[in-house]
Amino acid sequence: MQRKLLIAAWCLVLFNPLQAWASTHEFKLDNGMKLIVREDHRAPVVVSQVWYRAGSIDEVSGTTGVAHLLEHMMFKGTKEVPGGRFSKIIAAAGGRENAFTSEDHTAYFQQLQASKLPVSFRLEADRMHNLVISPEEFAKEIKVVMEERRLRTDDKPQALVYEQLRAAMFLSHPYHHPVIGWMNDLENMTANDALDWYKRWYTPNNATLVVVGDVEPQAVLALAKEHFGKIAAQPSPPRKQPVEAEQRGIKRLTVKAPAQQPYLLMGYHAPALQNPEQDWEPYALDVLSGVLDGHAAARLNKALVQEQQVASSVGVGYDTLARGPSMFYLDGTPVEGKTVADLEAAIRAQIEKIKQDGVTEEELQRVKAQTVASRVYQRDSMFYQAMLIGQFETAGLSYKALDTVLEKIKAVTPAQVLEVARKYLVDDHLTVAVLDPQPLDNMKSAMPQKGLHHVK
């Protein structure tokens, strides 16, 4: 009953998009920095996030991982706020803070009492243009990042398979490189590499400041001008628009790593959302992923885990938002006595079934209801309201498209799902990676993570 009420409430919001975002205000400082403020007065707290449109997509061979490394260095201090003081000041103000790096962006956030917002702005503005990158601190932190790579990728067989699959799928596009960076690049990285990255991308005209909470927009604007408005804009470096080379047949690779079980990962090239109003394929692909996975009655879980018992787990992923191309991937672990070949055949059979018979209206309605409910929960959180705004803005879209996206998903038809399945889930777009487990006792595996969060 409660879930139905949530969905009904969200549907009311969908039919009143102007009302839904009436409390959201957009400004631009004289130095080019964008500010988006969303009022949410349910509690006396505020979330502040600074998003830089700079991620691993902007790196070049030889310095992969520098975006994530610079994220670490941003906590090492300025002349005004020496190393370690940033986090202590936020904690003393009763707040929490962290950061994350992805292929497309790097973001820093604080969540604290609304009256403490000036503390957040002062600290973020200071490290936006006063960061100190000393050779001594760099030497320490690069070792931390290399150890993070060992723990999160090299020693995690499924994450290693994911990394190898992306490297094979994307030949000419920077998505070929992992966010954490290749180990050889990390071993040869210098403090100057990090400093060059900082000077190139950490400018107000390449940043979006998102504030959600118990605030008054004009007061936030005045505060932003006071702290960020003093920072001079810098010429924006030219951004190349890399295009992935056309794949001309199925790719297969085997990854040998210590593990207890084999693992299968299948990735198809797919488009990301570019024009929320005109595009329809990304919405249909999003719905297709929900038909295949997402709940106990979804097709793959029901057929492969419950009925055929060929898989102990199976999943589907698709990212609608990306500055570059996206991918539609399926993964799973076969049960004991079954092989990855058995699992691949079973997954392919389910894909072919959809390509032949399509999906039912009942399946679509269930997926759409789940999507709506998910957004209800997201918008119930100030943090995730800010996350949604930041993700859309740094992807080159507007936060105003959030309601358009939900409307478009609600409008997806069975015929559209059938069309994208037939167009994109084909061998010429497919890369298959298999984990060949090597002996090692007590080895644990973990699913890959798209972004890297700062760990202090």
Side-chain angles (χ1 to χ4, degrees):
M1 182 66 179
Q2 183 179 10
R3 184 169 180 272
K4 290 181 179 179
L5 288 174
L6 285 170
I7 294 172
W10 183 242
C11 285
L12 288 175
V13 173
L14 286 178
F15 287 112
N16 294 277
L18 294 178
Q19 177 182 342
W21 289 102
S23 58
T24 304
H25 308 263
E26 183 175 340
F27 308 97
K28 199 164 190 177
L29 305 188
D30 291 341
N31 59 13
M33 187 174 186
K34 182 179 288 188
L35 168 64
I36 299 174
V37 182
R38 176 157 170 75
E39 297 177 73
D40 189 327
H41 300 290
R42 292 174 298 167
V45 298
V46 66
V47 174
S48 176
Q49 299 179 348
V50 176
W51 294 70
Y52 294 96
R53 200 165 191 252
S56 62
I57 189 175
D58 301 296
E59 296 170 347
V60 297
S61 296
T63 58
T64 64
V66 68
H68 173 242
L69 184 278
L70 196 278
E71 176 209 313
H72 279 241
M73 296 305 299
M74 285 284 280
F75 290 87
K76 296 307 172 182
T78 67
K79 291 180 180 180
E80 295 293 327
V81 184
R85 287 290 297 154
F86 187 107
S87 298
K88 291 178 181 178
I89 294 172
I90 294 295
R96 66 183 185 92
E97 43 79 43
N98 215 316
F100 51 88
T101 305
S102 80
E103 288 93 342
D104 299 324
H105 51 248
T106 309
Y108 302 83
F109 67 85
Q110 294 84 44
Q111 185 166 345
L112 63 176
Q113 186 180 354
S115 64
K116 302 295 184 181
L117 184 60
V119 176
S120 170
F121 277 20
R122 175 174 64 85
L123 293 173
E124 284 292 3
D126 179 46
R127 67 178 177 180
M128 178 181 281
H129 69 131
N130 288 326
L131 186 66
V132 174
I133 302 180
S134 70
E136 295 78 17
E137 285 295 332
F138 175 87
K140 295 177 184 176
E141 204 60 29
I142 193 66
K143 291 179 181 178
V144 172
V145 173
M146 286 191 286
E147 183 61 20
E148 183 180 350
R149 182 190 159 83
R150 293 186 190 99
L151 291 174
R152 298 187 57 163
T153 302
D154 296 339
D155 293 342
K156 300 293 185 183
Q158 291 187 11
L160 194 61
V161 170
Y162 180 81
E163 178 181 88
Q164 292 292 310
L165 178 127
R166 285 184 68 90
M169 280 189 69
F170 298 109
L171 295 179
S172 56
H173 195 277
Y175 283 173
H176 172 92
H177 303 302
V179 176
I180 190 72
W182 299 113
M183 184 62 86
N184 184 66
D185 287 351
L186 297 177
E187 290 171 342
N188 291 284
M189 194 170 291
T190 68
N192 280 335
D193 291 327
L195 184 60
D196 288 345
W197 182 265
Y198 176 70
K199 290 179 177 180
R200 175 182 292 263
W201 299 116
Y202 278 53
T203 63
N205 45 309
N206 191 46
T208 300
L209 174 60
V210 181
V211 176
V212 177
D214 188 20
V215 294
E216 195 282 314
Q218 290 299 325
V220 176
L221 174 60
L223 194 64
K225 288 180 177 178
E226 177 185 351
H227 293 284
F228 293 97
K230 301 174 183 177
I231 306 172
Q234 301 295 330
S236 298
R239 292 187 193 264
K240 295 183 178 180
Q241 300 295 326
V243 176
E244 176 58 26
E246 181 182 358
Q247 187 169 329
R248 298 181 180 275
I250 189 171
K251 301 177 185 177
R252 290 186 178 274
L253 63 145
T254 299
V255 179
K256 291 185 176 182
Q260 292 180 336
Q261 298 172 303
Y263 172 69
L264 172 72
L265 181 60
M266 304 169 62
Y268 294 89
H269 287 285
L273 185 63
Q274 300 294 321
N275 187 319
E277 291 285 351
Q278 297 180 10
D279 290 350
W280 65 267
E281 290 182 335
Y283 304 124
L285 286 164
D286 197 25
V287 171
L288 175 58
S289 70
V291 170
L292 290 169
D293 183 31
H295 53 90
R299 289 205 181 194
L300 292 187
N301 186 72
K302 183 178 180 182
L304 277 57
V305 177
Q306 299 175 20
E307 297 174 355
Q308 301 176 27
Q309 297 183 357
V310 69
S312 60
S313 64
V314 65
V316 178
Y318 169 67
D319 291 316
T320 309
L321 295 180
R323 285 170 55 195
S326 189
M327 80 172 186
F328 190 102
Y329 71 86
L330 307 95
D331 75 323
T333 301
V335 298
E336 188 174 354
K338 297 292 185 178
T339 66
V340 287
D342 296 328
L343 178 55
E344 181 183 342
I347 290 175
R348 282 177 170 274
Q350 292 301 313
I351 291 174
E352 287 304 314
K353 187 175 182 181
I354 285 182
K355 290 162 71 173
Q356 290 295 322
D357 305 327
V359 298
T360 67
E361 187 63 40
E362 181 183 358
E363 286 178 307
L364 289 197
Q365 292 307 316
R366 181 166 55 219
V367 171
K368 292 173 184 179
Q370 287 176 324
T371 300
V372 169
S374 173
R375 288 297 170 88
V376 168
Y377 291 123
Q378 284 182 328
R379 293 201 187 180
D380 194 48
S381 161
M382 292 185 189
F383 180 79
Y384 283 105
Q385 288 181 64
M387 284 289 292
L388 285 170
I389 293 171
Q391 288 173 344
F392 269 70
E393 291 290 332
T394 52
L397 309 176
S398 169
Y399 73 89
K400 297 174 184 176
L402 281 162
D403 289 315
T404 298
V405 167
L406 280 175
E407 288 284 12
K408 293 290 187 177
I409 288 176
K410 285 164 61 70
V412 170
T413 66
Q416 289 176 326
V417 175
L418 176 63
E419 186 171 340
V420 294
R422 289 177 173 175
K423 181 176 180 179
Y424 293 107
L425 303 191
V426 296
D427 280 0
D428 281 353
H429 295 158
L430 174 62
T431 301
V432 180
V434 171
L435 172 63
D436 181 2
Q438 304 299 298
L440 182 66
D441 293 337
N442 301 321
M443 187 67 186
K444 295 182 180 181
S445 62
M447 284 294 293
Q449 300 184 12
K450 180 177 173 60
L452 295 178
H453 287 255
H454 180 65
V455 179
K456 301 188 293 293

